[in-house]
Amino acid sequence: MTESSARTTPEESGPLGPSDAPDAFDVFARRCPSRTTLEHVTGRWGGLTLGALHEDTLRFNQLRRRVDGVSEKMLSQTLHALERDGLVVRDARPGNPPHVEYRLTPLGAEVSARLLGLITLLENRMPEVLAARQAYDGRGGK
């Protein structure tokens, strides 16, 4: 029996997956809850938001300026999803106007560090990516 076939699937353990073994989650299984978190982390706005928060604790508008191009609505939805997943903490202090900051949890910091490694790799290898795109387009690729 292979390691992956020995895993408990979400279908076998219920909708939330097993509680006794974290390695039993399988992102390739349709109903695995890790798939949703992966979508939140690797989606365009989630990845950029985590990357921006890796640098510093930020207020909403600071974060919106840092993540160039994100709408207020999309940033709000992204932050809610990342907070629900335990990757981001929303710290609201009373005042007029209220003072709200966002920062990474320890898990969020670990995830963002790995994402930043991928981002750095891609940025450093963009000449190769652009050359590949040009070659593909030159062949009439679709």
Side-chain angles (χ1 to χ4, degrees):
M1 181 181 284
T2 65
E3 180 182 331
S4 63
S5 65
R7 290 182 175 176
T8 303
T9 66
E11 290 81 5
E12 295 169 340
S13 60
L16 297 179
S19 59
D20 57 335
D23 62 337
F25 292 99
D26 181 5
V27 75
F28 295 101
R30 180 182 355 180
R31 292 179 39 198
C32 185
S34 64
R35 186 178 282 194
T36 304
T37 302
L38 181 65
E39 290 172 13
H40 295 159
V41 168
T42 60
R44 177 187 346 175
W45 303 123
L48 293 173
T49 299
L50 288 169
L53 287 172
H54 188 81
E55 300 167 359
D56 200 2
T57 297
L58 297 171
R59 295 184 72 170
F60 185 87
N61 284 326
Q62 292 173 310
L63 190 52
R64 189 162 166 231
R65 282 190 297 274
R66 180 67 179 115
V67 182
D68 192 23
V70 68
S71 70
E72 194 171 309
K73 178 181 177 182
M74 283 308 306
L75 181 57
S76 180
Q77 289 175 353
T78 298
L79 286 166
H80 285 293
L82 295 173
E83 183 180 10
R84 183 170 184 254
D85 288 338
L87 303 172
V88 169
V89 172
R90 180 182 185 270
D91 183 19
R93 296 186 209 129
N96 193 9
H99 185 86
V100 180
E101 293 181 333
Y102 297 89
R103 62 180 165 77
L104 296 176
T105 64
L107 175 60
E110 183 178 349
V111 170
S112 70
R114 292 176 187 242
L115 277 173
L116 288 174
L118 178 60
I119 289 168
T120 300
L121 171 71
L122 290 172
E123 287 175 341
N124 291 339
R125 303 296 288 269
M126 278 312 294
E128 292 171 62
V129 172
L130 295 174
R133 287 180 186 174
Q134 188 175 18
Y136 179 86
D137 293 346
R139 294 190 308 266
K142 292 183 181 184

